[in-house]
Structure formats: C-alpha cells, structure tokens
Amino acid sequence: MYGIFGSLGLLCFANIFLDLDYKISEHPYAHPFCIIAGIISLVICMTVFCFDVILLTDEEKKLRKLFTEFAIIVISFSGFLFIWSGLWEIVSKFIAYMGW
C-alpha cells in the first residue's frame, strides 16, 4: 500500500509544487485532482502506517517483517511510479484530444 499510494502522492507533489509536467492555466482540471489525490494518498499511507505499528507490536519476528515490507515497498513504489506517470500521460492526451 505504501508503494502504490506513496508513488501517487509523490507524482501529485511533483506536478503541483515543482511544476514539472504542466502549467496550471493549461490544465485547470489537473491541479485540483492532484491536490485531492495527494491528500487522499497521504491519509491512506498514514492510516496503513498506524495499522502496521499496531500489528507489529504483536509480531515475534519484527526485523524480518520490516525488511520484507521495505523490499515490497521499494519494488512497488518504483513500478507504480512508472504506471502512474504513464496513466497521467494517457489521460492528459485524451483530455487534450477531447478539448476539455
């Protein structure tokens, strides 16, 4: 979950604050979407983190579970960063094609 929603949040952060991919005046729908999606992603990551802390206190092999989760997070974060970027390109081209 961290990798999926963390990568979405990072992409939204980059699009809003770093102004890498779009100008707000050219894409008026993208800015509010990125704000809402980034906030939702942050809330989901914080919620999952709280549940992980609660579940980790009852776990016997804490270090092994932490390393396993970290590896899964790194792999899913990298993969989903490319997936979200590709989806962003497809949707932005569709919106430009439709003239919205």
Side-chain angles (χ1 to χ4, degrees), residues 17-91:
F17 294 110
L18 301 178
D19 202 22
L20 296 175
D21 200 17
Y22 72 97
K23 303 289 183 206
I24 296 172
S25 59
E26 295 175 6
H27 303 282
Y29 299 117
H31 189 73
F33 170 79
C34 283
I35 291 173
I36 292 168
I39 291 171
I40 291 172
S41 297
L42 177 65
V43 168
I44 289 172
C45 285
M46 289 172 50
T47 305
V48 170
F49 178 75
C50 290
F51 283 126
D52 276 351
V53 168
I54 291 169
L55 292 175
L56 194 62
T57 57
D58 296 335
E59 192 76 26
E60 288 183 18
K61 299 179 182 180
K62 294 176 184 171
L63 190 61
R64 184 175 182 181
K65 182 163 175 77
L66 283 175
F67 283 132
T68 305
E69 282 191 21
F70 184 73
I72 291 170
I73 290 168
V74 169
I75 292 169
S76 64
F77 185 89
S78 303
F80 273 94
L81 193 61
F82 289 112
I83 291 171
W84 291 126
S85 296
L87 188 61
W88 179 267
E89 288 295 320
I90 291 169
V91 170

